[in-house]
Amino acid sequence: MRRPRGNEGWPQPRAGSLNTACPAPTAIAGHPFHLTLTGAWEELPSPRPHHSPADAATHHALTIARNITSTLTPADTLFAAARINTVLGQPTDIPHIPVRLTWAHVSLTCSPDALSATTRQQRIQYEEEQYQAEQTRRLSQARTLQATLMYDPSLAMAYWFATAPHTIDKETLPRLEQLHERLAAYAPQGRWALLARMLHTFTENLSDEAKNHLIGSAAALIDRYGHPDIANSIRELREQPPTGHPGQPTP
């Protein structure tokens, strides 16, 4: 639509240039970029022209630039400028305002202190990430160890001996016996170890005839539950000649 000319028509469209400098925020608080903005703008035909089109164009360009710089560090100076100029390098109509940003260009610089602060911040962040990763790894190991030790109390004893051998004394074994019995009540899988110890205590003083009878009964019971191979292995134990105590003849 062509703008009417004359004393009663719309005024001639205005145009101008941009040339300003100001700080721009970075991701490192207290260490901004130094931003220099240049460009050009022009007014669009409208029944309600903007009172300050230059300010509108400047605000539009700086808003785009600051939104980008605020997410980057001073170490990203070249990348930030390239990203901003990619957006501002073509004509853009400002939303809801009859002004067009014909073109704009941004230059960014930063101080040596800002670069040093960036390096410190990145090092701190890296150390925190490493610390968190190590804590996560240790927590995972601790949970795995806990689950393993709860499954089999005998492993808890082995872990104790391996990690703290200096704590072992003549009272250790009696205390471990008590610990083993108590843990077995809370760890169903550990009850088998307790049962095996009780069976060993029960059978060590039996006669050979009684032991053979017990072995035959156990083999028959296991065979009944569908494991003939294990039952045969148990019967072979009965057929082996008994072994006497050291220093005594075998009967």
Side-chain angles (χ1 to χ4, degrees):
M1 180 177 179
R2 297 178 61 85
R3 173 182 290 194
R5 296 187 179 183
N7 294 334
E8 296 181 359
W10 295 340
Q12 290 293 326
R14 293 167 289 179
S17 61
L18 303 177
N19 192 348
T20 187
C22 64
T26 70
I28 308 298
H31 297 279
F33 290 114
H34 180 74
L35 181 150
T36 300
L37 171 67
T38 56
W41 60 271
E42 64 180 8
E43 190 178 29
L44 299 176
S46 173
R48 287 186 286 274
H50 196 278
H51 178 69
S52 301
D55 291 338
T58 300
H59 176 266
H60 179 72
L62 289 180
T63 298
I64 292 175
R66 289 166 63 90
N67 286 342
I68 293 175
T69 62
S70 63
T71 64
L72 301 172
T73 70
D76 301 316
T77 302
L78 294 177
F79 175 79
R83 184 174 175 184
I84 294 169
N85 292 327
T86 299
V87 178
L88 298 181
Q90 59 185 356
T92 304
D93 292 348
I94 300 176
H96 313 299
I97 297 176
V99 176
R100 173 177 295 152
L101 185 64
T102 307
W103 66 271
H105 183 272
V106 162
S107 296
L108 296 175
T109 59
C110 63
S111 66
D113 289 343
L115 290 175
S116 298
T118 301
T119 301
R120 290 194 301 270
Q121 182 70 20
Q122 290 175 339
R123 182 175 64 251
I124 292 172
Q125 182 178 358
Y126 172 78
E127 291 174 352
E128 289 179 350
E129 291 174 353
Q130 291 296 107
Y131 175 78
Q132 291 298 330
E134 179 65 16
Q135 291 298 103
T136 301
R137 186 185 66 82
R138 290 185 178 182
L139 180 60
S140 177
Q141 288 181 337
R143 287 174 176 170
T144 301
L145 178 62
Q146 180 188 30
T148 302
L149 298 185
M150 288 295 293
Y151 178 82
D152 188 351
S154 63
L155 293 178
M157 302 174 193
Y159 180 77
W160 178 10
F161 292 158
T163 57
H166 59 281
T167 63
I168 302 174
D169 55 27
K170 63 181 181 179
E171 299 298 328
T172 298
L173 289 180
R175 289 198 300 267
L176 288 179
E177 290 288 338
Q178 296 176 5
L179 175 64
H180 194 102
E181 292 178 2
R182 292 183 181 180
L183 286 176
Y186 296 96
Q189 297 297 335
R191 294 178 186 176
W192 294 109
L194 181 60
L195 176 61
R197 186 177 65 81
M198 287 194 229
L199 288 175
H200 176 74
T201 302
F202 170 71
T203 60
E204 63 181 353
N205 294 322
L206 291 179
S207 65
D208 292 341
E209 181 179 357
K211 289 180 181 179
N212 287 332
H213 176 73
L214 181 62
I215 290 174
S217 300
L221 182 63
I222 292 174
D223 194 4
R224 184 184 305 171
Y225 277 93
H227 289 279
D229 52 337
I230 299 178
N232 291 334
S233 298
I234 292 177
R235 291 189 181 97
E236 291 176 359
L237 294 176
R238 183 177 59 181
E239 296 172 359
Q240 294 177 359
T243 303
H245 296 288
Q248 296 181 356
T250 301

